[in-house]
Amino acid sequence: MIREASAAGGKAGYTESSPELEQWLARHIAQGFGADALVLSMLRSGYDDAFARQAVAAAFAQDDAGAVPAAAMPVARGKKAPAAAAESEPAVYVAHGGDRAIPILFRLASPRIKLFQELLTDEECDALVALSRGRLARSPVVNPDTGDENLIDARTSMGAMFQVGEHALISRIEARIAAVTGVPAEHGEGLQILNYKPGGEYQPHFDYFNPQRPGEARQLSVGGQRIATLVIYLNTPEAGGATAFPRVGLEVAPVKGNAVYFSYLLPDGKLDERTLHAGLPVTSGEKWIATKWLRERPYRSEA
């Protein structure tokens, strides 16, 4: 039976599964595409809205559990699905003025690390730098015992903090971050812009909070634990400034517009200590980055 597609202006949508569709979904889930992006791609290929959402949910269930329950994948009869759907690449986010896919240059499964190519345009990078120049101040860290923000020698950057949605550009970027990470925008802390001069670095550290330390435990009341970080490179330094993961043996070169994402909350609720990371010293020129920390609950909600 062919159902009416709710997003297709009354036109009939395709409601038939196929091995090609299932393979296409599995491949793109493995590449890190989010559920909304996959549903959007299926709708553009002519699938029924409800069927697309059920198929994507079933595919994610298979990815998590290794097998799809028999009742999870809809039983569909009707038109044969268009062959183009199995070949098209889904749009990862809907940008202002049109859709643009964000390539993933590499993806590690354990720990979960991804490198997005050109998450921001050159113009967006330059605009963020310009917005931050007037409010740069020495970057603090949270004191693990008191919860206060202190200056330490291990972190030598200058930084500027922005509230969520404070500027139209920031709001657009935050929506894009939510699309590519699958974490709702309201779970994000404010965007932080950082500037490192020659010799500037951030020595190895974790971004998540240690609930055993009273100062860090205080942070859990305003959105829960941090679960992931996205570091966006706003320029390409002349030399140095890579993001290093010493327990993985990985260094990510800072390239303007690219962004490295890493998640540190494991399925069992434990925190992944392999996400220890550092901003290596800038040896020539300067480095600009934007950092987005993501929480398990809406940020600044009641604990």
Side-chain angles (χ1 to χ4, degrees), residues 101-161:
I102 303 296
I104 298 175
L105 294 178
F106 75 78
R107 176 179 182 268
L108 297 183
S110 184
R112 294 177 57 197
I113 303 175
K114 301 176 187 177
L115 180 62
F116 297 105
Q117 183 179 32
E118 296 182 353
L119 181 68
L120 300 190
T121 66
D122 284 355
E123 292 77 15
E124 289 171 331
C125 291
D126 294 342
L128 280 181
V129 170
L131 282 176
S132 69
R133 287 190 183 278
R135 61 170 78 177
L136 287 175
R138 180 75 185 278
S139 303
V141 298
V142 174
N143 185 307
D145 296 317
T146 67
D148 298 328
E149 292 189 339
N150 299 148
L151 301 179
I152 62 173
D153 292 338
R155 191 181 196 190
T156 58
S157 62
M158 300 287 287
M161 289 294 299

Side-chain angles (χ1 to χ4, degrees), residues 33 229 251:
F33 289 103
T229 298
E251 291 186 4

